[in-house]
Amino acid sequence: PITIEIWATKVLASKFELAYLLRDDERAYARAKSVMVPFDLESQRPRRMNDAEKEALTPFLEQE
C-alpha cells in the first residue's frame, strides 16, 4: 500500500499552501505542493479566509 501524507506549509489571510508526499515503507514516489485560494462563488472573486477557516488549518501546519 501507498501512504499519502498531506500537511499545510503556510496559512495566510488570502491563501494557504499544502504539501503532499506519496510513499510506502521503503521509498517516496512523489512530492508536490499546491497553493489554495478561497473563492467567493457569488462575486466570482478570490476572498480572504475567516478566523474559523484559519483555525481549522492550524493543526495541520508544519512545525519548523
Side-chain angles (χ1 to χ4, degrees):
I2 292 177
T3 300
I4 302 171
E5 297 177 12
I6 304 172
W7 63 97
T9 58
K10 207 179 275 189
V11 177
L12 302 172
S14 60
K15 70 179 180 179
F16 60 99
E17 294 180 5
L18 297 177
Y20 313 87
L21 175 63
L22 284 70
R23 65 174 185 82
D24 63 16
D25 291 337
E26 297 177 13
R27 68 182 238 196
Y29 293 96
R31 296 174 193 269
K33 188 181 281 190
S34 60
V35 177
M36 310 297 281
V37 177
F39 192 77
D40 184 323
L41 293 174
E42 189 173 305
S43 68
Q44 292 292 296
R45 297 182 55 104
R47 65 171 179 82
R48 293 192 171 274
M49 289 194 295
N50 61 42
D51 289 340
E53 291 168 324
K54 289 187 273 189
E55 286 176 23
L57 288 166
T58 301
F60 305 101
L61 191 57
E62 178 178 54
Q63 301 299 315
E64 295 183 30

